[in-house]
Amino acid sequence: MNLPVLENRHSLVLLIKKETHILNNTKAKKQSFIGCFLICYLLLGLTACQPTKYVSEGGYLYTGATINFEKPDSIKNIKQLRTRLNGFARPKTNNAIQLWFYNTFHNPEKEKGIGNKIADLVGQAPILYNPADLNRSDAIMEAYLRDNGYFNSTVSTDTLIDGKTLQAEYNIYSNGQYNIRNIYFPQDSSKLDSFIIAQRKQSIIRPNTPYQVNKLEAERARLTQIARNRGYFLFDPSYIFYFVDTTAGQKQADIHMRLTQTEDLSIYYMDTSYVYPTFNLDEQRSSSTDTLRYQDIKLIQQGEFVHAPVLKRVIAQDRGEAFKQNLQDQTVNHLLDLGIFKFVNVEYEPFMKNDSNFLRRRIYLTPSLTQDVNGEVELSTETSNFLGAAVSGSYTHRNIFHGAERLNLRLTVGVETQTADSDLPFVNTLELLAQANLYLPRFLLPFRKEKVFTYYIPRTRFSLTNSYQRRTSFFTLNSFQFDFGYEWQTTRYRRHAFRPLNVNIVRLFDITNDFQRVLDNNSRLRQSFDDIAILGMSYRFTYNDQEINTLKDFLFFQIGAETSGNFVSLLGNENNELFNTQFSQYIRFDLDTRYNFLNEKNSLITRLLAGVGIPYNNSRVMPYIKQYFVGGANSIRAFPLRGVGPGSVPPDITTIGTAFFDQTGDIRLEANIEYRFDLFPFVEGAAFVDAGNVWFLRNQDGDERFAEAEFEFNKFYEQLAVGTGLGIRLDLEFLLLRLDIAFPLRRADRLPGNRWVLDEINIGSADWRQNNLNYNLAIGYPF
């Protein structure tokens, strides 16, 4: 269980927030906006001033390229083609802001100095024109045009000089793009020819589509993969070649596919596999002499690093089976996915036996470090002058029982103090979290499967967690959780997690008089904090088509469902208790979807969060730890953690602690959009808008204080809180530090008609900044 104050422990969050204060000094607002406008105008003017300051005599500052078409009417999608060709133009132009920094701080008369350090760190020297760059760009553009069906196209270059600046001009002569008219497959009678003809319906190359070399290459790779999956070990992409006939006229081309060397190809079968689990790249491959035979594999290792049955289970293809490339790739992926090898190298030795072709497979495995210890120190400041610190330590062993089992132990100790109230003890909150996770590289099921049939290794997870929280002014809470489940990946992009057993026992004790009065005054909150037992199951599906080290848009989609209490209820438990504690019954659904639009220098990221928890039967409210909240460094950044909702109910700041404990709900809706852009090397800027709120599913007790907390379809959109802001991120590759400064645009806790606060914005006012700006310092992106 994640306790409220233990959530987001992976982030170092600094959140400073004050109460809203409305300013009505119109004159001051106008002056502040005029001042900000003048500053921005001056900065832009400085950026544009003297860009050629350090361009030497005879040199030219390169200012970019233009693409001109001599016969534009013959080009379809001319805008897209112009953008693509412009991307090949070299060199790239200067970043205007970086060039300004360089020209402002660079001093050629001094080798050192603070100015030159600034120029080197965030500046960029002028990028000069070089004729060789134009020649290379010219050749690349012509190759691209040829490879994409713009046959007989030519590219000529020119330059436009203005003072000490130069712009390149590329003139394209082309009659347009050719389309594929017909595709002619081999007509011979060999097995491979027949096989390729049988695959023509799935061909990537299709008539009446533009001619593109990359599609021919993709088709060649597809057929090669299919052939190798049928046992043709020696089949190579070079065995497939194409003739392109462009004499058909009307900008059409015929494709003739041919095969070569097919007479030398035959099917290969697997023989004994030799596995070296402790292979050292610096040693000779014959240095290990300890050999163990297990079924049809031989293990050659120094000591027993990993059990033989584990390797047998993940190595695909037994002796006598026809060679299949996809299963060989699967074997490599399985071995790497075990997490105990850093290198996997497979070699094949062909040989003849009884007039058949066989492959002797040798798998060289280089072990990685199996144990590591990590430590973290975190500091944070929150509202109400709270200061916090936490120390975490973790230990991981990835091969604890020599079967690639991963054991992770973690211990966290955190304290929090309120500096502004001398009546409270120095340590207001003490948190202790101990957790142990054990992952087995297989499904632990009543029936046994010897092989892993998916491309990725499934895992069985056992987890024990105990969380102790002592809040001096309120209560002591202890949560014990046992978790058992499965995790598996069906494709490269699809992951599943199923927890058939989740037991969570939550007990509250040492309640102070102040907090008891809060509970007595709020029946919903009192029921939320009752001792509770959660016995249920959950399922989560995740789709993520992000490609590592590839610049392409990607989608992240996650949906999950969780239930509690159904199994115990079916047993006919009259007291509705588990381990002498009332058990909770609820069902909860969650959605998290994000779409990332990526570019070389900027990106647009959108996120939508939605969730609903429904208590039923013996439960009137959701357990507090399962309720939703919004606000904070990874949510609506213009408001503090749990600083929004429920609905349009304002927080009760007159009762100690209530504002922190009751701003949760059964329903959550949240939407975020963030634009990220490069500023300097290792520095990124961001602009964002966040919106959302939480609501009660129903106000069961009819408490008038929460009349505006209940979710209603006809007015929930009127209760959304909205915030915006700017951010800056320092990307150190191994660590990303983020500072977001946000302020409200719309406050949900105000009366209808008065919730938008755009007319109150006054950046030039110190009072407005103090009461509205929220500073969020964190590690990592918010989403």
Side-chain angles (χ1 to χ4, degrees):
M1 182 194 71
N2 292 325
L3 294 177
V5 290
L6 289 179
E7 296 180 16
N8 298 324
R9 274 295 181 196
H10 59 281
S11 297
L12 173 62
V13 179
L14 173 62
L15 181 60
I16 303 175
K17 179 74 178 79
K18 300 294 182 181
E19 297 178 20
T20 303
H21 179 64
I22 302 176
L23 299 176
N24 294 312
N25 192 333
T26 305
K27 183 177 180 181
K29 286 189 284 185
K30 290 182 178 179
Q31 291 175 346
S32 65
F33 281 120
I34 292 173
C36 291
F37 175 81
L38 291 176
I39 291 173
C40 294
Y41 183 83
L42 179 61
L43 181 59
L44 291 174
L46 287 174
T47 304
C49 286
Q50 297 183 330
T52 61
K53 179 178 180 180
Y54 290 110
V55 175
S56 59
E57 192 65 30
Y60 296 98
L61 177 69
Y62 179 75
T63 58
T66 59
I67 307 294
N68 300 319
F69 293 92
E70 296 186 16
K71 299 176 66 175
D73 294 339
S74 65
I75 307 296
K76 295 181 180 179
N77 302 320
I78 191 170
K79 183 178 179 181
Q80 292 87 334
L81 181 59
R82 177 179 282 111
T83 300
R84 173 69 68 171
L85 294 176
N86 211 344
F88 297 133
R90 293 294 183 271
K92 296 296 184 181
T93 58
N94 279 105
N95 178 291
I97 297 177
Q98 290 181 265
L99 179 60
W100 177 82
F101 269 99
Y102 184 88
N103 289 337
T104 301
F105 293 99
H106 178 65
N107 187 347
E109 298 179 359
K110 295 183 178 180
E111 294 183 0
K112 300 180 179 180
I114 185 65
N116 283 334
K117 289 184 178 180
I118 295 175
D120 292 339
L121 181 63
V122 298
Q124 184 183 46
I127 295 176
L128 304 180
Y129 160 72
N130 185 344
D133 291 329
L134 267 66
N135 293 333
R136 282 192 293 268
S137 301
D138 180 315
I140 293 173
M141 290 182 189
E142 284 194 353
Y144 176 83
L145 291 168
R146 181 179 62 254
D147 291 345
N148 286 273
Y150 298 90
F151 297 119
N152 302 316
S153 298
T154 59
V155 181
S156 61
T157 60
D158 199 356
T159 56
L160 302 176
I161 298 175
D162 182 10
K164 300 183 72 173
T165 66
L166 181 145
Q167 184 179 53
E169 189 175 73
Y170 295 88
N171 300 305
I172 314 297
Y173 177 84
S174 175
N175 288 318
Q177 189 177 29
Y178 279 64
N179 283 341
I180 298 174
R181 186 180 67 170
N182 294 313
I183 306 168
Y184 298 97
F185 291 87
Q187 299 299 320
D188 296 334
S189 58
S190 69
K191 289 183 179 180
L192 276 176
D193 289 338
S194 301
F195 145 73
I196 288 181
I197 292 173
Q199 301 295 322
R200 63 189 304 172
K201 291 184 179 180
Q202 291 77 38
S203 176
I204 297 173
I205 312 170
R206 296 188 177 277
N208 302 318
T209 60
Y211 171 89
Q212 293 176 301
V213 164
N214 62 346
K215 287 191 175 181
L216 299 183
E217 296 294 337
E219 176 68 4
R220 178 184 287 173
R222 184 183 76 89
L223 293 174
T224 299
Q225 183 72 15
I226 294 174
R228 290 176 65 85
N229 287 341
R230 296 194 174 191
Y232 294 99
F233 169 73
L234 294 179
F235 196 93
D236 187 84
S238 62
Y239 293 175
I240 302 174
F241 62 96
Y242 304 92
F243 292 111
V244 182
D245 182 4
T246 61
T247 62
Q250 298 181 344
K251 294 190 292 188
Q252 296 193 71
D254 293 331
I255 308 295
H256 299 263
M257 179 186 293
R258 294 291 183 266
L259 292 177
T260 184
Q261 300 186 28
T262 57
E263 66 278 1
D264 297 331
L265 295 176
S266 57
I267 295 177
Y268 280 76
Y269 298 90
M270 302 303 299
D271 195 69
T272 302
S273 295
Y274 295 81
V275 185
Y276 301 79
T278 57
F279 177 71
N280 190 327
L281 293 175
D282 297 328
E283 297 177 358
Q284 295 295 322
R285 298 193 172 183
S286 60
S287 60
S288 299
T289 57
D290 297 337
T291 302
L292 170 68
R293 175 178 286 275
Y294 182 80
Q295 297 183 16
D296 62 347
I297 67 172
K298 287 186 178 181
L299 270 68
I300 304 171
Q301 60 181 328
Q302 297 175 345
E304 189 179 27
F305 177 70
V306 60
H307 297 319
V310 175
L311 295 175
K312 175 60 180 176
R313 186 169 59 247
V314 301
I315 293 176
Q317 295 217 265
D318 296 330
R319 185 170 51 198
E321 294 182 6
F323 171 86
K324 292 185 178 182
Q325 183 63 59
N326 62 332
L327 294 182
Q328 299 301 308
D329 296 339
Q330 177 177 293
T331 295
V332 174
N333 193 76
H334 284 169
L335 292 168
L336 289 173
D337 204 22
L338 286 175
I340 59 176
F341 303 111
K342 60 181 177 180
F343 299 118
V344 175
N345 186 28
V346 182
E347 295 181 355
Y348 301 94
E349 180 184 340
F351 66 95
M352 291 283 295
K353 183 173 63 175
N354 299 329
D355 296 328
S356 296
N357 295 284
F358 286 87
L359 293 172
R360 185 176 292 115
R361 179 172 51 179
R362 299 185 185 274
I363 304 175
Y364 299 96
L365 307 173
T366 303
S368 60
L369 294 177
T370 57
Q371 301 181 64
D372 61 57
V373 178
N374 292 313
E376 299 176 5
V377 178
E378 302 178 358
L379 300 174
S380 64
T381 67
E382 301 176 5
T383 59
S384 304
N385 299 301
F386 271 98
L387 298 176
V391 178
S392 299
S394 64
Y395 168 77
T396 301
H397 198 305
R398 298 177 182 85
N399 194 27
I400 185 69
F401 304 121
H402 298 284
E405 304 92 349
R406 186 169 78 246
L407 175 68
N408 178 264
L409 305 176
R410 185 175 183 85
L411 178 65
T412 300
V413 179
V415 296
E416 193 174 76
T417 183
Q418 187 173 19
T419 59
D421 193 339
S422 59
D423 294 334
L424 294 175
F426 179 72
V427 177
N428 305 142
T429 301
L430 171 66
E431 305 170 53
L432 299 174
L433 174 68
Q435 187 177 58
N437 293 314
L438 178 64
Y439 294 88
L440 307 180
R442 61 185 181 278
F443 279 141
L444 192 62
L445 298 169
F447 50 90
R448 184 179 181 183
K449 289 185 177 181
E450 290 293 335
K451 286 287 186 181
V452 178
F453 292 100
T454 61
Y455 197 72
Y456 300 90
I457 292 180
R459 283 179 166 79
T460 301
R461 175 178 178 263
F462 296 88
S463 178
L464 283 174
T465 305
N466 195 83
S467 179
Y468 173 89
Q469 181 187 113
R470 171 59 179 162
R471 297 184 65 85
T472 306
S473 303
F474 304 107
F475 57 80
T476 298
L477 186 147
N478 193 83
S479 169
F480 173 81
Q481 182 176 4
F482 170 74
D483 194 284
F484 165 76
Y486 307 102
E487 298 176 0
W488 70 99
Q489 188 169 344
T490 53
T491 70
R492 187 174 182 178
Y493 305 132
R494 293 175 173 85
R495 293 179 178 270
H496 305 262
F498 175 55
R499 306 277 189 267
L501 180 61
N502 180 15
V503 181
N504 194 350
I505 309 297
V506 183
R507 297 189 184 278
L508 186 74
F509 48 94
D510 292 343
I511 301 174
T512 65
N513 293 332
D514 288 333
F515 187 57
Q516 186 62 55
R517 285 193 294 270
V518 173
L519 296 180
D520 293 341
N521 195 43
N522 188 332
S523 62
R524 175 186 171 87
L525 189 65
R526 183 179 64 252
Q527 294 175 67
S528 299
F529 275 92
D530 282 343
D531 290 351
I532 203 73
I534 298 173
L535 177 63
M537 64 176 62
S538 65
Y539 169 78
R540 184 178 70 251
F541 167 76
T542 304
Y543 176 87
N544 186 358
D545 62 359
Q546 181 179 12
E547 300 283 354
I548 304 300
N549 298 324
T550 301
L551 192 66
K552 65 178 278 293
D553 299 347
F554 68 91
L555 170 69
F556 174 91
F557 175 83
Q558 187 176 91
I559 188 169
E562 177 183 347
T563 65
S564 174
N566 294 333
F567 179 73
V568 181
S569 178
L570 291 175
L571 296 179
N573 191 325
E574 297 180 357
N575 297 325
N576 293 328
E577 290 185 351
L578 176 67
F579 305 123
N580 297 322
T581 303
Q582 183 180 14
F583 64 85
S584 178
Q585 282 187 274
Y586 65 84
I587 184 170
R588 181 174 132 155
F589 301 96
D590 290 283
L591 170 70
D592 180 355
T593 181
R594 313 168 197 175
Y595 198 87
N596 293 43
F597 302 88
L598 302 183
N599 205 330
E600 287 186 2
K601 295 184 178 180
N602 52 66
S603 57
L604 183 68
I605 295 88
T606 61
R607 179 178 71 168
L608 174 66
L609 296 175
V612 57
I614 307 172
Y616 57 90
N617 284 358
N618 64 304
S619 296
R620 289 172 54 84
V621 298
M622 294 284 293
Y624 185 76
I625 61 172
K626 297 296 182 180
Q627 294 179 17
Y628 299 103
F629 63 89
V630 296
N634 298 317
S635 181
I636 307 178
R637 284 158 280 186
F639 300 90
L641 189 69
R642 292 180 174 82
V644 179
S648 58
V649 177
D652 182 3
I653 61 175
T654 61
T655 307
I656 182 171
T658 305
F660 176 81
F661 288 108
D662 68 357
Q663 290 186 259
T664 59
D666 308 312
I667 298 174
R668 173 179 64 180
L669 284 175
E670 182 179 338
N672 315 86
I673 183 168
E674 180 168 291
Y675 176 66
R676 300 169 187 167
F677 49 92
D678 291 342
L679 289 175
F680 315 110
F682 311 112
V683 181
E684 183 181 70
F688 54 85
V689 177
D690 307 315
N693 206 333
V694 295
W695 294 265
F696 294 168
L697 185 64
R698 50 186 175 270
N699 186 14
Q700 291 182 333
D701 298 322
D703 194 328
E704 289 297 326
R705 293 173 301 173
F706 302 111
E708 295 297 318
E710 188 171 343
F711 182 86
E712 297 182 32
F713 278 102
N714 61 347
K715 71 175 185 179
F716 77 90
Y717 54 89
E718 299 176 353
Q719 299 173 321
L720 295 175
V722 182
T724 188
L726 298 173
I728 190 167
R729 290 83 194 273
L730 180 63
D731 188 355
L732 303 177
E733 295 186 357
F734 63 91
L735 179 70
L736 187 138
L737 293 176
R738 167 170 59 97
L739 173 63
D740 291 330
I741 304 176
F743 57 89
L745 296 178
R746 196 173 193 275
R747 294 185 176 274
D749 56 3
R750 290 191 176 186
L751 294 176
N754 193 36
R755 288 170 179 163
W756 288 103
V757 293
L758 297 173
D759 59 339
E760 301 174 13
I761 299 174
N762 186 2
I763 299 177
S765 168
D767 288 340
W768 183 91
R769 294 195 301 270
Q770 182 179 9
N771 295 319
N772 290 274
L773 291 185
N774 287 274
Y775 299 85
N776 302 275
L777 178 63
I779 295 176
Y781 288 117
F783 47 86

